[in-house]
Amino acid sequence: MRLPRATPEEIGPGRVGVVGAAAGALLVALVLAGLYLGRDILVPLALAVLLGFVLSPLATRLRRWGLPHVLAVIAVVAFALAMIGGSIAFMASEVRELSAELPTYQQTIKRKLASLREAIRAPGMFDGLTRTVTLVQREASDIAAAATATPSPSRVQKVEIQGESRSPLQNALDGLERVASPLLTAGIVLVFTFLILLDRLDLRDRLIRLMGGNLHRATDAMDEAGERISSYLIVQLWVNLSYGIPMALGLWLIGVPGAFLWGAVAALMRYVPYLGPMISAVFPLTLAFAVDPGWSMVLSTLALIVVLELISNNVVEPWLYGSSTGLSAISLIVAATFWTALWGPVGLIMSTPLTVCLLVIGRHLPGLQFFDVLLGSAPALDAPTRLYQRLLSGDIDEAVELGRELAQEAGSMPAFYQDSALPVLRRAVTDYQTVSTSEHRLRLITGMEALLEELQELAPAPAGATPTVLCLGAKWEVDTLAARMLAHALTLEGAPAHADPALANSAESLAGVAMQAPRAVCLSVFAPEPWRTARRACRRIQRRWPGARIVVCSWNIGDQAQVDPALAESLGAHAIAGSLVEAVLRAREGLGADTAEWERASVPPDDAQRLRLLRSLGALDEPAMNELCDHAAKRAAAIFDVPAAMVTVVADNEVRVLGFHGSLRTTVDGQDSVINSGQAFQVAREHALCGHVIAQNEALLVPDIAQDPRFAANPHLRGLGLRFYAGAPMRMKRGGAIGSLCLLDTAPGHLTERDLKLLQAMAQDLMDAIAQRRPQADVEAADADAPNEQEPSATVGQVVPDP
């Protein structure tokens, strides 16, 4: 008879959670037991994988040079063995020489030790106190012994246990076993390394298969793990060399015997985290103590080690490491302790690469995401969430301190309001009806008021300015807080504004506003249905101030596409803004068109040379280039999934669009027009973002143009309705960049750092294709090496084909 199986609903959520936690704990215990019990096989395998990461680029380079795969692997392994063998031979030779010289230093060591003993035994200022304490302890011990004394037996039989005598052959076998064990491990590592290099692609395919069905996620995880570990090992090599070489030279100048040996030991021991530098410092200090009859050599060696440690830890490592591993400092310490407990000293050496693998797995596999949170160096909470949490906890001082830090990091008060403070209020409105309590709401309002007062003192408004803009909240107290932020930002941007605590939805409240004739009124709205609330408030504002320009600031639409102007008219407003930057812009427009400014691109100092090379390339010959550039724009739009992409070249006063794919509606002099795929056109250089790409000679990413104070007032971008821009320069080998490959969208967007590098690689591929079409007479003009030269993209393919 089969019993019915209970469902999770019948068991209950509490018991299901307990069962899941118990299963997870059992799984963790089994994994740890497997890592510990299988260390004899796993340690050599992990070392082989680590060596594979180091030697794989060299094997790949030999294959590109035409060497067969098997011969390339054999050559790389032989080279590694030669380097290791040569290092061991060098160190053995140095140790042999030092061993021969050590007996000559015995008298110096004896004299120093004798002098130290005399110095320690000499009477000091605490001798009397020490003798008194010793006497009291001795008397107390005698009293306690007398109280607990028992009769002792008259005779005590002494028993001695002697071990079994061993023959010389057995002793020799034991010594051979101790020597053979590390040699056997080294042999296993060598075999594993050879096999990993030989079947690297097959092993990668099998690991991708084991990681699950999402091929994209598994591929990204493998690529990121390889990049991070390779980057870490390369950077670690440079860090070790930057420490070991100065150490060897410094010890040689001081006169410590075996200076180059101790420099090599110092470089190698830095692969051992934390303990390695301390162990490597013992040897030169001991020799300096033994060689010099005085103390000058010891003090000089100690000073050299301290200076090199300070420079390496505080200058070289932060500069070279950067974010090569992505691990936090505490996770590195915990990982070193954990792997050392499991695998001993070898685990300490491999702790960082192994932990990097766990970090990458957690970043790409949702079920193991806790590894990314626990081990990663990225903040666990973003800036708005951290500020929101401090306010909810009621710790006003900590919230104010964090707000000051975020404002300083943002660079300006309007940027802090836009990026941190307004998202806090938006989060509070979202949580109002779900999880927040009355106490939470009170803490938030009280803390935010204290924070705004502190920030207004930190960035005070210019004295004597008469407010011309009135900022009001529509319905809630959070609306009033946002109005205060907007007024402060407007005042700092040169448009004096006043924030009144009155709520626009109340006629009685509006009647008490002291400001009589504002030129512009900004209405702050956080309501879930902002247009209904804004419509009523706008009617009251119109009756109270008929001639004022009304700007509705709906803070909940910041990530949407540009609002239809007809909506503002239906509300009775003149404009609608979804971000603080846009609100400042719309309010200043009511004060005069001359106040709306945007950042214009500067002209690089070598622009004349750049233009000469641009003409020699024939890039301004539009009929010859349009088909090639249209093809590149179409490919970029498809790969990055954006509605429009274009290829531009920057001439003297204009930006020429040689290739365009997509569709954009533009407004010029009040006339609407549509730009379609394959259409070539040009734009004034001062209006185009591509001019900034040329001036900086690096990629430019603007996630939301309407929220970027540099470009929000640009009339050309507003006419196109653009919200997202990403452009990468097409660099020549000398003379800067001729133009850019750009991605466009009418909605806000974002690219990762990896995506931006890919866009740069595609732009360089296109540059190479354009350079291949130039006349042969101009080859020398653009073939000199440049520091900005990049290799073509291996991800997308390849140089753009000639259509």
Side-chain angles (χ1 to χ4, degrees), residues 411-462:
S412 68
M413 207 58 66
F416 165 72
Y417 289 147
Q418 175 64 42
D419 298 335
S420 299
L422 284 176
V424 168
L425 298 182
R426 192 177 296 119
R427 177 78 175 270
V429 172
T430 302
D431 294 345
Y432 184 85
Q433 296 292 345
T434 55
V435 295
S436 65
T437 63
S438 301
E439 186 177 3
H440 289 149
R441 298 165 195 157
L442 177 61
R443 290 175 179 177
L444 175 74
I445 298 299
T446 306
M448 188 60 76
E449 287 176 345
L451 174 61
L452 291 181
E453 292 175 0
E454 179 74 17
L455 295 179
Q456 287 172 355
E457 293 179 2
L458 183 64

Side-chain angles (χ1 to χ4, degrees), residues 487-527:
H488 191 203
L490 280 167
T491 304
L492 295 177
E493 293 293 328
H498 168 69
D500 198 279
L503 295 176
N505 263 19
S506 170
E508 294 80 5
S509 184
L510 279 183
V513 177
M515 194 170 181
Q516 296 299 321
R519 296 175 60 183
V521 178
C522 295
L523 179 65
S524 175
V525 185
F526 266 112

Side-chain angles (χ1 to χ4, degrees), residues 472-549:
L472 297 173
K475 185 178 181 181
W476 296 337
E477 202 159 3
V478 290
D479 297 339
T480 304
L481 291 173
R484 289 180 61 181
M485 298 178 195
L486 178 57
H488 191 203
L490 280 167
T491 304
L492 295 177
E493 293 293 328
H498 168 69
D500 198 279
L503 295 176
N505 263 19
S506 170
E508 294 80 5
S509 184
L510 279 183
V513 177
M515 194 170 181
Q516 296 299 321
R519 296 175 60 183
V521 178
C522 295
L523 179 65
S524 175
V525 185
F526 266 112
E529 296 181 359
W531 312 132
R532 181 184 303 176
T533 303
R535 186 175 288 107
R536 292 195 301 269
C538 287
R539 285 199 297 266
R540 290 189 173 90
I541 293 173
Q542 285 177 341
R543 288 195 294 267
R544 179 73 170 81
W545 298 285
R549 174 183 175 85

Side-chain angles (χ1 to χ4, degrees), residues 243-254 256 258-264 266 304 308:
Y243 182 87
I245 294 175
M247 173 70 77
L249 294 176
L251 294 176
W252 177 71
L253 291 175
I254 293 172
V256 177
F260 294 100
L261 171 63
W262 306 131
L304 173 66
L308 288 180

Side-chain angles (χ1 to χ4, degrees), residues 146 204 309 458 467 496 622 671 700 709 732 774:
R204 185 183 66 180
E309 284 291 337
L458 183 64
E622 295 177 7
Q671 300 294 325
L700 174 65
M732 296 179 290
R774 64 187 173 215

Side-chain angles (χ1 to χ4, degrees), residues 298-311:
V298 176
L299 295 177
S300 300
T301 303
L302 181 61
L304 173 66
I305 294 173
V306 171
V307 170
L308 288 180
E309 284 291 337
L310 291 175
I311 294 175

Side-chain angles (χ1 to χ4, degrees), residues 559-704:
D559 292 336
Q560 299 179 14
Q562 206 154 349
V563 178
D564 187 358
L567 177 60
E569 186 177 352
S570 68
L571 298 177
H574 296 81
I576 297 177
S579 66
L580 187 135
V581 172
E582 194 174 2
V584 171
L585 176 62
R586 299 292 178 260
R588 294 178 66 183
E589 286 176 349
L591 306 179
D594 57 337
T595 61
E597 294 292 335
W598 73 93
E599 183 177 315
R600 292 166 171 81
S602 60
V603 178
D606 58 345
D607 200 53
Q609 178 187 5
R610 186 189 67 81
L611 290 173
R612 285 196 301 270
L613 293 176
L614 173 62
R615 296 187 185 94
S616 70
L617 286 171
L620 296 179
D621 183 12
E622 295 177 7
M625 291 294 176
N626 283 351
E627 191 175 359
L628 176 65
C629 295
D630 284 339
H631 184 83
K634 181 178 180 181
R635 169 181 284 189
I639 288 174
F640 291 97
D641 193 21
V642 293
M646 64 182 183
V647 177
T648 65
V649 290
V650 180
D652 192 5
N653 294 316
E654 76 273 354
V655 174
R656 298 190 185 183
V657 180
L658 301 186
F660 181 80
H661 178 80
S663 179
L664 288 177
R665 183 179 298 276
T666 181
T667 302
V668 180
D669 298 331
Q671 300 294 325
D672 292 339
S673 61
V674 178
I675 304 173
N676 294 313
S677 298
Q679 184 174 346
F681 57 96
Q682 60 189 38
V683 182
R685 184 171 181 174
E686 66 174 4
H687 290 97
L689 292 179
C690 301
H692 294 272
V693 177
I694 299 303
Q696 300 169 6
N697 198 18
E698 62 184 21
L700 174 65
L701 174 64
V702 186
D704 191 347

